[in-house]
């Protein structure tokens, strides 16, 4: 059972950052890095819900295809959107939100937040948050760092902005591997309530998603938003 990981001691945050950096370097950004810090989550305490998390910086057509599939299976998801993409695809952002999905921040320019200072983290995240809130007329509550890379200043910036920093418990690595069977396997192997499943709007993901959603439904699980899973 996955659970919230929360701690409030600064030296644990520093240790976690070192671990994250090592994992990202070893796995090329695909590792399911988990940090011990205030409001850093990699899963919920739900026994019957899972969360599909889509990190979006490209492939607008695939985003729309994903929204249609989610509607077909009566599933909800959280879309972590890059600001520079959202600025060029305002209609799509609004469509995703109007379909009942959660809109969250993935930064503005897909930077390595572990290498940014406090002010740079704050600017990169807040700019995307203001844009998404203006487009949707709703509060943005979550931030997912690109490549899972973050540092102490990222955590501090999120705290300043009132955001939860969100990681994942299952990574499909669909941005690299396009085989729908591989994507399906990574999303569903050992799946249990509380999992946060990381995905991207790729053609392989669109092809794999009906099987993934069917598997989740047949397992007696429900797809919900991250904020709902965290009780917010």
């Amino acid at each position: 059972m996955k659970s919230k990981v929360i701690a409030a001691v600064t030296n644990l945050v520093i240790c976690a950052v070192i671990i994250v950096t090592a994992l990202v370097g070893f796995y090329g950004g695909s590792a399911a890095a988990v940090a011990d810090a205030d409001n850093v989550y990699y899963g919920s305490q739900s026994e019957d819900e899972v969360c599909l998390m889509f990190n979006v910086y490209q492939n607008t057509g695939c985003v729309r295809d994903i929204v249609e599939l989610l509607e077909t299976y009566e599933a909800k998801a959280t879309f972590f959107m890059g600001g520079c993409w959202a600025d060029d695809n305002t209609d799509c952002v609004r469509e995703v939100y109007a379909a009942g999905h959660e809109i969250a921040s993935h930064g503005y320019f897909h930077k390595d937040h572990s290498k940014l200072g406090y002010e740079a983290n704050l600017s990169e995240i807040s700019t995307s948050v203001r844009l998404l809130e203006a487009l949707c007329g709703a509060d943005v509550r979550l931030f997912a760092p690109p490549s899972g890379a973050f540092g102490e200043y990222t955590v501090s910036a999120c705290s300043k902005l009132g955001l939860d920093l969100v990681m994942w418990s299952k990574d499909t690595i669909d941005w690299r591997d396009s085989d729908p069977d591989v994507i399906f396997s990574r999303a569903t192997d050992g799946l249990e309530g509380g999992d946060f499943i990381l995905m991207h709007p790729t053609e392989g993901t669109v092809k794999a998603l009906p099987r993934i959603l069917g598997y989740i439904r047949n397992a007696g699980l429900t797809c919900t938003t991250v904020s709902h899973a965290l009780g917010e």
Side-chain angles (χ1 to χ4, degrees), residues 77-80 96-97 100-104 141-142 225-228:
T78 298
F79 289 76
F80 291 87
V96 173
Y97 179 71
H101 304 293
E102 181 174 28
I103 304 298
R141 302 176 179 178
L142 310 173
T225 65
V226 171
S227 286
H228 176 81

Side-chain angles (χ1 to χ4, degrees), residues 34 51 86 115 149 169:
V34 180
C51 299
K115 297 180 180 179
S169 59

Side-chain angles (χ1 to χ4, degrees), residues 89-108:
N89 296 274
T90 57
D91 288 345
C92 187
V93 174
R94 293 189 177 105
E95 290 166 14
V96 173
Y97 179 71
H101 304 293
E102 181 174 28
I103 304 298
S105 171
H106 198 40
Y108 199 89

Side-chain angles (χ1 to χ4, degrees), residues 44-108:
S44 77
Q45 294 179 338
S46 172
E47 295 184 355
D48 56 4
E49 296 175 330
V50 296
C51 299
L52 299 182
M53 300 165 46
F54 295 95
N55 288 353
V56 183
Y57 264 98
Q58 58 186 352
N59 298 336
T60 303
C62 289
V63 174
R64 289 192 164 103
D65 290 340
I66 288 168
V67 170
E68 289 184 8
L69 288 169
L70 292 172
E71 182 177 2
T72 298
Y73 284 82
E74 299 181 334
K76 298 303 179 185
T78 298
F79 289 76
F80 291 87
M81 296 181 170
C84 61
W85 174 86
D87 204 11
D88 293 333
N89 296 274
T90 57
D91 288 345
C92 187
V93 174
R94 293 189 177 105
E95 290 166 14
V96 173
Y97 179 71
H101 304 293
E102 181 174 28
I103 304 298
S105 171
H106 198 40
Y108 199 89

Side-chain angles (χ1 to χ4, degrees), residues 100-230:
H101 304 293
E102 181 174 28
I103 304 298
S105 171
H106 198 40
Y108 199 89
F109 286 119
H110 205 274
K111 294 184 176 181
D112 183 342
H113 283 259
S114 68
K115 297 180 180 179
L116 301 179
Y118 173 73
E119 292 298 334
N121 265 284
L122 190 65
S123 175
E124 175 74 6
I125 299 170
S126 64
T127 301
S128 69
V129 168
R130 289 196 301 270
L131 171 63
L132 295 171
E133 289 183 339
L135 290 175
C136 298
D139 291 339
V140 171
R141 302 176 179 178
L142 310 173
F143 170 69
S147 302
F150 69 95
E152 181 181 357
Y153 292 129
T154 316
V155 176
S156 298
C158 285
S159 178
K160 173 70 174 180
L161 296 169
L163 304 175
D164 291 330
L165 196 159
V166 179
M167 302 297 287
W168 62 87
S169 59
K170 301 186 78 63
D171 189 356
T172 61
I173 322 179
D174 52 356
W175 56 270
R176 188 191 70 191
D177 301 324
S178 59
D179 187 335
D181 291 336
V182 172
I183 295 170
F184 169 79
S185 177
R186 289 174 178 160
T188 59
D189 281 356
L191 183 69
E192 59 185 359
D195 268 324
F196 286 2
I197 307 166
L198 179 59
M199 311 178 82
H200 298 78
T202 70
E203 291 183 3
T205 296
V206 172
K207 293 177 181 178
L209 193 55
R211 288 177 62 197
I212 293 170
L213 291 169
Y215 181 94
I216 291 171
R217 183 170 61 188
N218 291 337
L221 299 170
T222 301
C223 290
T224 188
T225 65
V226 171
S227 286
H228 176 81
L230 297 178

